[in-house]
């Protein structure tokens, strides 16, 4: 089958590489992507960019290309074919996109990165790093700016965790609360996944 032509992936708000005499300069140091637009340099945090990339990755995982494999995974996770737990379905889909080995020996995220050579190396590295998921039972131990500090009872480590939704995602969390979840690396922090 023919592979689709790669699309140029640009941060929100930047419609084309030529608009406003813009061009991109990618900085792989410090966990962010730098851009120059009409003479102004601004930085797009990888965590912010992660939301867009994760949406694209999920769309890719749900595409016809992986339909047979995903259908089999869902059938194993939900006997009878009835999905009754949205959180469990989200976790199943997240695992499929990031960790499930396809018959080719690759993962969906590896295939996504291979199909998008136009991605800057910092984004490619971040996406491939998402295969190293940390799952656990986490206790909220505090907040640090836009991050929440989560202690994982399984590996006894504390993770500075952010969300691509910003601080509002953590507003309901209080010190001492327990969470079951999945985290992936993003720059120097961790990101809620699922």
């Amino acid at each position: 089958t023919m592979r689709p032509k790669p699309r140029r992936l640009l941060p929100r708000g930047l419609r084309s590489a030529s608009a406003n005499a813009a061009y991109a300069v990618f900085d792989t140091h410090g966990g962010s992507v730098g851009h120059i637009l009409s003479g102004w340099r601004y930085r797009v945090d990888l965590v912010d960019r992660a939301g867009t990339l994760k949406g694209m990755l999920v769309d890719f995982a749900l595409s016809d290309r992986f339909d047979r494999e995903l259908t089999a995974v869902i059938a194993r996770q939900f006997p009878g074919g009835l999905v009754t737990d949205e959180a469990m379905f989200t976790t199943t889909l997240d695992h499929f996109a990031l960790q499930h080995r396809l018959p080719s020996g690759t993962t969906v995220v590896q295939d996504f990165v291979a199909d998008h050579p136009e991605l800057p190396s910092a984004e490619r590295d971040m996406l491939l790093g998402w295969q190293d998921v940390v799952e656990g039972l986490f206790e909220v131990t505090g907040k640090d700016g836009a991050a929440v500090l989560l202690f994982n009872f399984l590996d006894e480590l504390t993770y500075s965790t952010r969300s691509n939704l910003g601080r509002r995602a953590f507003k309901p969390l209080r010190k001492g609360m327990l969470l079951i979840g999945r985290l992936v690396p993003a720059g120097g922090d961790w990101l809620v996944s699922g």
Side-chain angles (χ1 to χ4, degrees):
T1 95
M2 285 186 52
R3 289 168 58 154
K5 182 179 177 185
R7 296 185 316 230
R8 176 134 174 88
L9 306 177
L10 297 170
R12 276 177 265 156
L14 185 60
R15 297 289 177 225
S16 75
S18 60
N20 300 316
Y23 61 95
V25 177
F26 297 104
D27 173 16
T28 59
H29 306 289
S32 64
V33 178
H35 291 272
I36 298 175
L37 175 61
S38 299
W40 288 90
R41 182 176 173 117
Y42 69 96
R43 296 178 75 75
V44 177
D45 189 331
L46 277 179
V47 173
D48 293 335
R49 184 73 172 120
T52 301
L53 292 170
K54 183 65 178 274
M56 294 173 66
L57 175 61
V58 169
D59 289 345
F60 187 73
L62 294 172
S63 70
D64 291 343
R65 178 175 176 173
F66 305 106
D67 184 60
R68 176 175 289 155
E69 190 70 19
L70 179 58
T71 298
V73 166
I74 291 172
R76 284 192 299 274
Q77 287 294 93
F78 300 96
L82 183 61
V83 176
T84 58
D85 185 332
E86 185 178 340
M88 180 63 125
F89 178 76
T90 299
T91 299
T92 299
L93 182 57
D94 193 59
H95 182 274
F96 178 77
L98 302 179
Q99 298 170 288
H100 178 79
R101 287 281 166 203
L102 300 167
S104 65
T106 63
T107 62
V108 173
V109 70
Q110 288 171 334
D111 288 355
F112 178 81
V113 168
D115 279 9
H116 292 283
E118 77 283 2
L119 290 172
S121 62
E123 292 178 6
R124 295 168 65 81
D125 292 347
M126 178 178 66
L127 283 161
L128 293 173
W130 290 353
Q131 295 172 104
D132 299 325
V133 175
V134 173
E135 297 178 301
L137 173 61
F138 300 93
E139 179 182 5
V140 177
T141 59
K143 293 182 181 178
D144 182 19
V148 66
L149 302 175
L150 300 176
F151 174 79
N152 186 352
F153 286 103
L154 299 181
D155 63 14
E156 298 183 342
L157 296 173
T158 298
Y159 295 86
S160 176
T161 308
R162 296 177 58 198
S163 168
N164 62 310
L165 300 176
R167 293 175 194 227
R168 73 177 188 265
F170 299 132
K171 192 169 182 131
L173 301 182
R174 300 288 177 253
K175 192 172 183 176
M177 290 179 83
L178 299 179
L179 311 168
I180 295 174
R182 295 167 51 88
L183 308 177
V184 294
D189 287 321
W190 292 84
L191 184 67
V192 175
S193 187

